[in-house]
Amino acid sequence: MLILGIETSCDETGVALYDSERGLLAHALFSQIDMHADYGGVVPELASRDHVRKLLPLCDQVLADAGRVRADIEGIAYTAGPGLVGALMVGGSVAHALGFALGVPVLGVHHMEGHLLAPMLEDNPPAFPFVALLVSGGHTQLVLVKGIGEYEMLGESVDDAAGEAFDKTAKMLGLDYPGGPRVAALAEKGAPGRYRFPRPMTDRPGLDFSFSGLKTFTLNTVTAAERAGGLDDQTRADIALAFEAAVVDTLTIKCRRALEQTGCKRLVIAGGVSANNRLRAGLEKMTEKLRAAVFYARPEFCTDNGAMIAYAGCQRMNAGQQDGDRIVAVPRWPMNTLPPVGEPRTNGLVD
């Protein structure tokens, strides 16, 4: 089955073509980072308008790269949520228009399920069951994954997501958008041991996260350095390193607890923050001690992309799931409400 995947949940326009027998045939991505950088973050209306401009040309580019034409498409998957509602509507509208014109089924895909399944695109995909750490700008969750659609929430952030804390820390340090990669790059120049930041909620049992207090601690540290006249480049780098180390340690500790609690020997990390090199190194060291294995997607598939949507959509459409004739756009959508593959689904939501 040849599936066209469309991702427009936020500020990346992603398109991919996935074949159920041959795998990923082609993919393309247009990032709006430069446009939103002037505002220090994503402007929803501008994001929606840019998706309108870029989506169809990217669809044509992907088809050309794969040596296919529109008539070859057998199904269309698009991100139905969570995300910015205007951006979601653009992807859903294009998907349903193409589906109607081509006479093929259309399915709205859960954005975080796409991230969770992105490592399946690699040569050595994880087998079920596994524990998944979904860590991005909007989500920090630990999930027990028994199969596609069989998700048990183990823990999540009670306030800020880890990626959001990275972005806010970047602003405190005077770094441009997007903040996460810039904080990580600055941290490489930091001196270990100068600052020690707390590891929130690791001194108590449980698998939930909290990063608002860490964000406040960072702000207080930056403010104290500014008042002392010492917020020079090295101090900023040292603060970035201390912040990143605190986030990585917190995520690693919680992942270890989740593996021990469930008895799983496989850990998957997905989402934008999963591209962080320090986090990958920390999780690899931890899983090695537990005689477990860690899996993640290549860096280009850690951030939002069409390939993960095409893959997730293909698995569900092969099992007979599809939308009705209504465009689905769900800004907030708990992933554990998704039905397992093979169970009926109407208009992207559970009846």
Side-chain angles (χ1 to χ4, degrees):
M1 190 174 192
L2 186 64
I3 303 297
L4 179 73
I6 294 174
E7 156 60 24
T8 62
S9 65
C10 190
D11 62 340
E12 312 275 8
T13 311
V15 179
L17 204 59
Y18 184 86
D19 188 285
S20 56
E21 296 182 359
R22 298 177 55 198
L24 183 65
L25 302 184
H27 65 96
L29 184 75
F30 180 83
S31 175
Q32 302 175 3
I33 285 176
D34 291 342
M35 178 176 65
H36 296 293
D38 292 338
Y39 302 93
V42 177
V43 181
E45 179 62 25
L46 294 181
S48 301
R49 292 178 182 179
D50 209 52
H51 288 312
V52 172
R53 286 190 288 266
K54 299 299 191 304
L55 188 49
L56 281 176
L58 282 179
C59 289
D60 291 337
Q61 176 187 330
V62 165
L63 286 166
D65 290 345
R68 300 299 185 94
V69 296
R70 289 185 183 179
D72 294 330
I73 297 172
E74 298 175 275
I76 302 172
Y78 67 96
T79 300
L84 303 175
V85 66
L88 294 171
M89 285 298 296
V90 174
S93 298
V94 171
H96 274 270
L98 284 174
F100 179 80
L102 298 173
V104 300
V106 179
L107 179 67
V109 171
H110 194 289
H111 179 72
M112 296 310 294
E113 181 172 67
H115 275 303
L116 185 150
L117 297 177
M120 299 295 186
L121 293 164
E122 303 303 316
D123 293 335
N124 181 33
F128 299 112
F130 56 78
V131 169
L133 171 66
L134 300 176
V135 57
S136 66
H139 299 81
T140 303
Q141 301 173 331
L142 278 167
V143 185
L144 175 60
V145 181
K146 299 177 183 178
I148 297 176
E150 299 179 62
Y151 308 131
E152 178 185 342
M153 195 66 61
L154 300 174
E156 60 187 331
S157 179
V158 299
D159 41 55
D160 295 345
E164 181 183 357
F166 265 103
D167 288 340
K168 296 294 177 58
T169 295
K171 288 186 177 181
M172 297 175 202
L173 296 174
L175 301 175
D176 293 333
Y177 171 85
R182 300 189 188 281
V183 170
L186 183 60
E188 292 298 317
K189 304 175 183 177
R194 180 177 176 186
Y195 294 103
R196 169 73 182 182
F197 283 19
R199 277 59 175 163
M201 294 184 72
T202 59
D203 59 348
R204 67 192 78 173
L207 295 173
D208 285 335
F209 302 90
S210 171
F211 293 102
S212 63
L214 181 60
K215 186 177 64 177
T216 301
F217 191 94
T218 304
L219 176 61
N220 291 339
T221 303
V222 170
T223 302
E226 288 175 333
R227 288 175 177 171
L231 192 60
D232 52 24
D233 289 345
Q234 186 58 54
T235 299
R236 291 166 65 246
D238 295 344
I239 292 174
L241 175 59
F243 168 81
E244 184 183 50
V247 173
V248 168
D249 284 354
T250 300
L251 294 174
T252 302
I253 290 169
K254 297 288 185 172
C255 285
R256 187 192 69 231
R257 287 183 186 175
L259 290 172
E260 292 173 341
Q261 177 177 310
T262 61
C264 282
K265 291 296 183 180
R266 289 176 292 273
L267 173 69
V268 165
I269 56 170
V273 182
S274 70
N276 183 281
N277 289 329
R278 198 177 302 274
L279 176 59
R280 291 191 177 199
L283 291 176
E284 286 175 357
K285 184 177 180 180
M286 180 270 292
T287 51
E288 183 178 356
K289 290 181 179 178
L290 293 181
R291 295 184 179 179
V294 60
F295 300 83
Y296 36 74
R298 70 196 80 167
E300 63 188 311
F301 293 157
C302 290
T303 55
D304 295 349
N305 63 87
M308 67 183 191
I309 301 303
Y311 177 85
C314 185
Q315 309 314 304
R316 289 190 172 275
M317 295 179 85
N318 269 336
Q321 293 183 3
Q322 59 180 281
D323 285 352
D325 56 3
R326 181 172 66 91
I327 299 169
V328 180
V330 191
R332 297 182 181 275
W333 188 4
M335 195 172 67
N336 57 0
T337 63
L338 292 172
V341 166
E343 290 189 5
R345 188 170 110 165
T346 303
N347 286 329
L349 301 175
V350 181
D351 285 335

